[in-house]
Amino acid sequence: MVIAGLSRLGEAFLDLLYPRLCAACGIHQPIREAALCIRCQLELPRTDYHHFAENPITRRLMGRFPLQSATAMFYFVKDTPIQQLLHRIKYLGQKEAAEALGRQYGRELIELEPYRDIDLVIPVPLHPSREHQRGYNQSAWLARGLADGLGRPVDERALSRTRKTETQTHKSRQERLFNTEGAFRVRDFRRVVGKHVLLVDDVMTTGATLEACALPLLQVDGVQLSIVTLAIAQD
């Protein structure tokens, strides 16, 4: 108890010297373990897709592979705090923000029927060289938070990249599909057989990366698939 108290006191002292700032606006302080300040919590554009069985994500992926449910926490809007949030998470080391947001969203999703029977949370993997360069996989941190909020295990090694792909930025939908075709494989079928898998990525644009991950997973007997992303780019 004494050690825990001293630890909290030390954390409070560090917060005074180096205050944590909101991962979106970078100005205000978030409360407790949250990633966002109260203002950004209220103002960032939430999708609320998780309340609807059919939504823009399910429609975008319709006919491409079987899907149980899909949602995104935020709309991606250029030149706004949501873009700053994703940039900080992806490139500036604020991986804990992804975990905190995932945990928050997982606690919301577990209240809804489509997400209660999730068995396993799997992040979209980075190529090892890219993960080494960046130091972490932002989707894996998001997946850890979601798994914690849902009370489910996360498996960061269930999927692997078979090759390094070019950046998807500025590519057309067809180019994205070609770029990611066959880029992922299931490491060990026994890890996912018969399970309802929640596939996690940071941003969805055309869905090409998610599709490339979904197809090998769905080749495993009994796998059902749902998808969560932190944000979705609007058409």
Side-chain angles (χ1 to χ4, degrees):
M1 294 291 291
V2 173
I3 294 174
L6 289 173
S7 177
R8 286 194 294 271
L9 184 62
E11 290 175 4
F13 181 68
L14 286 174
D15 280 344
L16 285 174
L17 291 178
Y18 308 102
R20 292 184 308 113
L21 298 178
C22 173
C25 69
I27 299 172
H28 306 292
Q29 283 187 267
I31 56 172
R32 294 187 293 276
E33 296 179 1
L36 306 175
C37 67
I38 293 176
R39 179 174 179 176
C40 286
Q41 293 245 24
L42 294 173
E43 294 184 355
L44 287 183
R46 293 287 300 265
T47 69
D48 290 328
Y49 288 168
H50 51 290
H51 292 295
F52 304 95
E54 183 179 329
N55 57 56
I57 299 182
T58 60
R59 288 194 290 271
R60 197 175 296 186
L61 297 174
M62 190 179 298
R64 293 162 66 173
F65 56 87
L67 186 62
Q68 300 302 306
S69 56
T71 187
M73 193 172 189
F74 299 109
Y75 292 108
F76 175 79
V77 183
K78 286 186 176 181
D79 302 319
T80 68
I82 190 64
Q83 183 176 27
Q84 297 169 23
L85 169 65
L86 292 166
H87 182 81
R88 289 186 174 110
I89 287 173
K90 193 168 185 176
Y91 300 113
L92 301 183
Q94 294 201 19
K95 51 190 182 292
E96 292 85 0
E99 185 178 27
L101 289 166
R103 186 178 299 109
Q104 175 188 338
Y105 204 31
R107 289 169 179 166
E108 295 177 29
L109 296 179
I110 197 61
E111 299 298 322
L112 302 172
E113 190 65 36
Y115 300 94
R116 286 179 185 155
D117 66 347
I118 295 292
D119 296 307
L120 186 65
V121 182
I122 297 177
V124 171
L126 285 177
H127 189 272
S129 64
R130 187 162 290 162
E131 185 168 352
H132 178 74
Q133 180 184 33
R134 190 174 296 166
Y136 60 96
N137 175 2
Q138 72 280 359
S139 296
W141 282 80
L142 176 62
R144 292 174 197 174
L146 280 161
D148 187 27
L150 290 165
R152 301 294 185 268
V154 60
D155 189 340
E156 297 177 30
R157 293 181 56 79
L159 276 177
S160 65
R161 283 194 185 241
T162 59
R163 59 183 174 82
K164 188 175 182 179
T165 55
E166 298 176 10
T167 178
Q168 298 279 68
T169 308
H170 306 307
K171 289 185 182 295
S172 68
R173 178 180 179 276
Q174 202 61 38
E175 289 170 336
R176 287 170 183 258
L177 287 169
F178 181 77
N179 186 42
T180 55
E181 185 178 8
F184 302 91
R185 70 176 179 89
V186 177
R187 286 180 182 268
D188 184 346
F189 286 11
R190 292 171 297 181
R191 301 167 86 113
V192 297
V193 66
K195 293 184 177 179
H196 184 179
V197 170
L198 184 65
L199 182 63
V200 178
D201 204 4
D202 56 347
V203 184
M204 175 180 171
T205 48
T206 65
T209 299
L210 291 166
E211 181 177 357
C213 289
L215 294 178
L217 283 168
L218 289 166
Q219 289 176 5
V220 182
D221 287 344
V223 166
Q224 294 179 301
L225 191 70
S226 292
I227 285 172
V228 169
T229 65
L230 187 57
I232 179 172
Q234 300 180 72
D235 290 332

